[in-house]
Amino acid sequence: MLKNTHIKAAVAAVALAFTANASAAEGTLENVKAKGFLQCGVSTGLPGFSNPDAEGNWQGLDVDVCRAVAAAVLGDASKVKYTPLTAKERFTALQSGEIDILSRNTTWTLTRDTSLGLNFAGVNYYDGQGFMVSKELGVSSAKELDGAAVCIQSGTTTELNLADYFREHGMKYTPVVFDTSDQTVKGFEAGRCDVLTSDQSQLYALRIKLAKPDSAMVLPEIISKEPLGPVVRQGDDQWFNIVKWSLFAMINAEEYGLTSANADDMLKSTNPNVRRILGLEGPKGKGLGLDDKWGYNIVKQVGSYGESFEKNVGKDSPLGIARGVNALWKDGGFQYAPPIR
Amino acid sequence: MAAHPSSKDNSANNLRKIWFDPNVRALVFQIIVVIGVIGFFFYIISNALFNLEQRGITTGFGFMNQTAGFGIIQSLIEYDESHTFGRTFIVGLLNTLLISALGIIFATIIGFVMGVARLSNNWLISKVATVYIETLRNIPLLLQIFFWYFAVLRALPSPRQSVSLGEAVFLNVRGLYLPSPVMEAGSSFVVIAFFIAVIGSIVLAKWAKRRQMLTGQPFPVLAVSAASIVLLPLIVFFIMGMPIGLEYPALKGFNFQGGVVVIPELAALLVALSFYTAAFIAEIVRSGILAVSKGQSEAAESLGLTRTQALKLVIIPQAMRVIIPPLTSQYLNLTKNSSLATAIGYPDLVSVFMGTTLNQTGQAIEVIALTMAVYLTISISTSILMNIYNKKMALVER
């Protein structure tokens, strides 16, 4: 139950005291290879990003990052074990070595990057914080929210942005803070608060969890930058590189038209960019300490970034989020991966 | 000639003697255990520090001076986003103390009433008390908290459809809105009058008790002190020209503004904690009363004391000796159980400090150590206070 979350956090903190010196911080690659699976920290259930489907298989944009890393390292995208974590637990779980990689819609910030012993390995979704209100309130802009009660999930950057926004606009608010996004939605539905605030992508995901999704609307204002991405422990450069380049491989694959469907045909391609992603020429897997087929495995088993996006959060999913700023750089978006060469 | 035992033999003998001395043995083993425990803690602490440094995690309590930057729904002291994490610690701590103190008061009252009621000769009263105790004692506290919060309080109307009492008190899903007092010039005299009445009542009660012990004549202490505590400030209030006004809550924008608000999170947690703990206290009270020999109540009866008088003057004072130690445990339990607050978003220490603050700063070890220290301190203080009270009760009876 809920009390568990605190016990978990405490246990993770205690784990820091007991784990053998530094062994968890170095050699994550060897560790994962020896175990035979990747331990991946995900959310407790957020449709589109990381959520178990009807059969209990984890699905989503964040889950695909874990699967890509598993494909690159172990050659099999299915060799992942998932640890659902609340916002509060996630960093301690990573610090203490409970998980190998945290892929849980986590915002990249200066504090987190510098003082928690963590490294952000890239951005797999460019998000921003927004507000969801009940349509019957008749509110059309966040600037009309003076005096509102706001439901919010504890321990997120959202909590800080909210305070900043209301202070900046000289408005007051009542924070109603819950532990999980499920409770937050419950509180919103029951009328405990007027507004639910979260990253916009989450708002769309949470809206379909409402009993009557049409009764709520997302306000147009975006009040913050929320670059979300996978996180690894600091001090293991090799592992950091592997996670980083697994994500870059997916983005590059989209750029050069590789998909899970055409990966085998593309082995015959003469385009040097395609051949380098597939490990046929160029740097191959050596620098990363991986098999030469690492890129091929990612593309074949997980797919390109675009594929993953459309399947999980885009037009092929219930969320129906437009690519927007998450389009590739050549299509006017922010997604830009360094070249594989 | 008797051979003198050599000095070597002598010292070996002495050593053996010392070794078989139970006091010495006890001391030696205690020292070994203490060294072991200290060594263990030294090991895990230094190991933790080493690990933290290895992983580049910032340590220390410096974060307490950083700006918190998040809001808290209920604060007993002035607080907004611009205050520090140190302040959030205090805010959470005070909220924990508030819910614990209120819970202890309510649980004690309900518990004593239910405990006595279960022993009542009235069939209905005793059965109601039995059902109450057996039901609430056997349902997990967390479920009870959820029940009150999600099932009961959620059924309340929205702000616009609030239940109102004389346009001054409003009840809705966001909480209970009460008028708040506005202190104007001269109001301090009313407050002073109130305290004088309270102190007077305490003196009166002591005097009445002593008189009754000496002469056997009772004095209506309760009625007189209640009257003076109400009347004296009231008279001063009118003499000073009504210096205390009321600020009424009013529907403005999304919700009621002004006045005092009791948030539903506090209400749900308080109701659940007090009802749950009261069920245990009731059993403790019952066992305490049953522990007083039947001869005592028969003697009281034969003196012509009413049932109430017998309870108040003879039974309960003796039962208290049995009641206090387990009652202390219940108080400690209630305080610690208040940390379940986080399940429904009441901003207690665990929710605000071990929750939000921990996550914003990432200083898991410091935050958790501090939180544990706080609960330890609260528990030990409660124990000490109750032990003092226990000693006092025990002495009076001898």
Side-chain angles (χ1 to χ4, degrees):
Chain A
M1 292 288 295
L2 272 160
K3 190 66 193 157
N4 252 343
T5 64
H6 291 294
I7 294 169
K8 261 199 213 160
V11 167
V14 172
L16 273 178
F18 281 101
T19 42
N21 293 344
S23 70
E26 282 151 31
T28 313
L29 176 63
E30 283 70 41
N31 214 331
V32 170
K33 276 185 178 164
K35 279 189 299 186
F37 62 88
L38 177 76
Q39 194 75 47
C40 176
V42 290
S43 79
T44 51
L46 182 65
F49 288 82
S50 43
N51 202 32
D53 65 10
E55 282 103 52
N57 298 315
W58 285 87
Q59 301 282 346
L61 197 64
D62 289 340
V63 167
D64 278 351
V65 174
C66 301
R67 297 182 67 233
V69 174
V73 174
L74 303 165
D76 186 348
S78 66
K79 288 195 173 152
V80 186
K81 287 195 180 167
Y82 298 94
T83 308
L85 298 165
T86 66
K88 284 192 218 169
E89 296 160 351
R90 55 187 165 179
F91 298 125
T92 327
L94 183 62
Q95 288 164 344
S96 62
E98 195 185 328
I99 53 175
D100 301 313
I101 165 176
L102 176 71
S103 185
R104 188 203 173 283
N105 53 299
T106 301
T107 307
W108 188 346
T109 68
L110 176 73
T111 313
R112 288 173 176 179
D113 209 359
T114 53
S115 66
L116 300 188
L118 307 175
N119 274 336
F120 281 78
V123 177
N124 70 333
Y125 193 94
Y126 289 96
D127 212 339
Q129 185 176 345
F131 299 100
M132 180 162 74
V133 295
S134 170
K135 274 182 188 159
E136 62 184 46
L137 270 185
V139 171
S140 59
S141 159
K143 300 213 172 69
E144 300 164 31
L145 293 178
D146 192 13
V150 186
C151 278
I152 189 167
Q153 198 188 333
S154 75
T156 56
T157 46
T158 323
E159 230 174 321
L160 306 182
N161 298 329
L162 177 74
D164 286 353
Y165 183 79
F166 274 77
R167 196 145 55 124
E168 190 188 327
H169 290 86
M171 302 191 295
K172 281 203 172 113
Y173 73 102
T174 311
V176 185
V177 182
F178 293 99
D179 241 13
T180 66
S181 59
D182 262 351
Q183 291 169 327
T184 318
V185 173
K186 256 195 204 166
F188 176 71
E189 267 193 309
R192 178 65 186 91
C193 50
D194 306 292
V195 191
L196 195 162
T197 185
S198 190
D199 293 351
Q200 274 218 331
S201 61
Q202 288 198 44
L203 290 180
Y204 287 106
L206 294 176
R207 202 168 76 116
I208 47 176
K209 280 192 178 179
L210 294 177
K212 280 181 282 176
D214 286 340
S215 66
M217 59 180 273
V218 175
L219 296 177
E221 281 87 354
I222 290 182
I223 65 167
S224 69
K225 289 184 291 187
E226 308 285 341
L228 313 178
V231 196
V232 295
R233 271 182 300 279
Q234 204 171 290
D236 185 348
D237 288 350
Q238 188 184 30
W239 185 248
F240 180 37
N241 284 339
I242 290 171
V243 175
K244 211 164 33 178
W245 284 93
S246 296
L247 177 63
F248 291 160
M250 289 176 76
I251 298 169
N252 277 319
E254 184 185 6
E255 187 168 345
Y256 296 108
L258 278 160
T259 64
S260 54
N262 69 11
D264 287 323
D265 295 340
M266 287 295 218
L267 286 172
K268 291 179 227 108
S269 165
T270 51
N271 182 333
N273 285 308
V274 170
R275 293 179 67 80
R276 278 193 289 263
I277 295 172
L278 296 177
L280 299 171
E281 57 183 70
K284 303 195 173 178
K286 197 165 159 241
L288 293 170
L290 296 176
D291 194 274
D292 287 345
K293 287 176 79 182
W294 71 276
Y296 167 80
N297 287 336
I298 290 175
V299 175
K300 175 71 186 162
Q301 298 179 30
V302 185
S304 71
Y305 178 76
E307 255 184 294
S308 174
F309 189 97
E310 300 301 358
K311 180 181 75 186
N312 294 306
V313 299
K315 59 179 191 294
D316 303 335
S317 76
L319 291 170
I321 299 173
R323 278 300 284 270
V325 295
N326 286 295
L328 289 184
W329 63 282
K330 57 177 191 172
D331 303 327
F334 296 160
Q335 285 298 357
Y336 183 102
I340 294 180
R341 58 157 69 246
Chain B
M1 261 204 294
H4 288 282
S6 72
S7 63
K8 201 180 160 196
D9 266 7
N10 205 354
S11 70
N13 237 346
N14 275 346
L15 259 181
R16 192 177 298 134
K17 225 188 234 163
I18 290 171
W19 181 236
F20 283 108
D21 182 343
N23 288 330
V24 174
R25 277 196 154 191
L27 192 72
V28 168
F29 283 117
Q30 278 175 28
I31 289 172
I32 292 174
V33 170
V34 167
I35 290 173
V37 169
I38 291 175
F40 172 75
F41 278 105
F42 179 77
Y43 169 73
I44 61 166
I45 290 170
S46 62
N47 195 23
L49 289 177
F50 180 79
N51 279 341
L52 289 170
E53 206 191 308
Q54 280 286 314
R55 291 171 200 185
I57 301 170
T58 318
T59 49
F61 287 93
F63 70 92
M64 297 286 268
N65 295 323
Q66 289 167 19
T67 305
F70 60 90
I72 300 176
I73 188 168
Q74 175 194 297
S75 163
L76 297 179
I77 50 170
E78 198 191 323
Y79 173 82
D80 63 48
E81 306 79 56
S82 59
H83 285 101
T84 60
F85 285 121
R87 191 85 168 180
T88 66
F89 171 72
I90 306 286
V91 169
L93 177 61
L94 289 176
N95 283 340
T96 289
L97 291 176
L98 174 75
I99 189 84
S100 308
L102 290 175
I104 284 175
I105 293 170
F106 284 118
T108 309
I109 294 171
I110 302 169
F112 268 77
V113 170
M114 284 295 164
V116 173
R118 193 169 180 183
L119 291 172
S120 168
N121 293 326
N122 183 318
W123 186 84
L124 186 66
I125 290 181
S126 86
K127 284 294 170 277
V128 167
T130 308
V131 169
Y132 164 84
I133 290 167
E134 293 306 332
T135 314
L136 291 190
R137 223 155 56 110
N138 291 309
I139 298 175
L141 178 57
L142 188 61
L143 292 188
Q144 294 192 32
I145 294 176
F146 280 140
F147 170 76
W148 288 105
Y149 189 62
F150 286 114
V152 178
L153 296 180
R154 278 287 171 268
L156 292 170
S158 69
R160 273 155 232 270
Q161 276 95 44
S162 297
V163 180
S164 84
L165 195 76
E167 296 302 311
V169 178
F170 298 91
L171 181 67
N172 61 44
V173 70
R174 308 277 169 84
L176 177 66
Y177 292 81
L178 305 164
S180 61
V182 180
M183 300 294 196
E184 288 157 29
S187 59
S188 52
F189 289 101
V190 181
V191 177
I192 292 169
F194 171 78
F195 280 111
I196 288 175
V198 170
I199 293 167
S201 301
I202 294 170
V203 173
L204 181 76
K206 286 210 158 150
W207 168 81
K209 196 174 176 191
R210 196 177 310 134
R211 195 181 70 144
Q212 191 173 0
M213 289 294 171
L214 292 173
T215 67
Q217 284 177 333
F219 185 85
V221 180
L222 209 65
V224 173
S225 15
S228 63
I229 288 174
V230 173
L231 285 180
L232 194 63
L234 210 63
I235 292 166
V236 177
F237 175 70
F238 283 110
I239 292 174
M240 297 305 297
M242 299 196 272
I244 300 178
L246 284 177
E247 187 199 26
Y248 293 100
L251 189 61
K252 229 192 287 169
F254 293 98
N255 204 346
F256 287 90
Q257 312 283 333
V260 183
V261 56
V262 181
I263 55 172
E265 289 78 19
L266 173 67
L269 189 64
L270 182 58
V271 170
L273 275 179
S274 355
F275 279 178
Y276 177 78
T277 314
F280 289 90
I281 293 180
E283 285 297 87
I284 291 168
V285 169
R286 183 170 74 113
S287 68
I289 291 174
L290 288 178
V292 178
S293 75
K294 202 163 163 37
Q296 293 287 321
S297 47
E298 281 167 359
E301 225 169 282
S302 67
L303 281 172
L305 297 183
T306 64
R307 173 95 181 129
T308 319
Q309 280 176 324
L311 264 179
K312 207 177 111 190
L313 299 172
V314 180
I315 313 289
I316 302 269
Q318 296 186 68
M320 283 313 271
R321 280 188 285 171
V322 180
I323 293 174
I324 290 173
L327 187 65
T328 310
S329 302
Q330 289 306 324
Y331 288 173
L332 300 184
N333 280 346
L334 189 143
T335 308
K336 288 179 283 181
N337 284 341
S338 73
S339 63
L340 288 170
T342 171
I344 55 168
Y346 173 77
D348 79 325
L349 184 68
V350 171
S351 168
V352 167
F353 194 64
M354 215 170 109
T356 310
T357 301
L358 190 161
N359 200 260
Q360 300 302 354
T361 60
Q363 312 272 295
I365 296 210
E366 291 85 349
V367 167
I368 286 172
L370 205 55
T371 311
M372 291 200 296
V374 163
Y375 279 98
L376 195 64
T377 312
I378 296 177
S379 293
I380 289 175
S381 322
T382 314
S383 283
I384 291 175
L385 284 177
M386 291 299 282
N387 280 339
I388 292 173
Y389 182 57
N390 191 24
K391 274 208 182 107
K392 222 175 140 194
M393 287 305 282
L395 270 178
V396 171
E397 293 306 314
R398 292 289 135 103

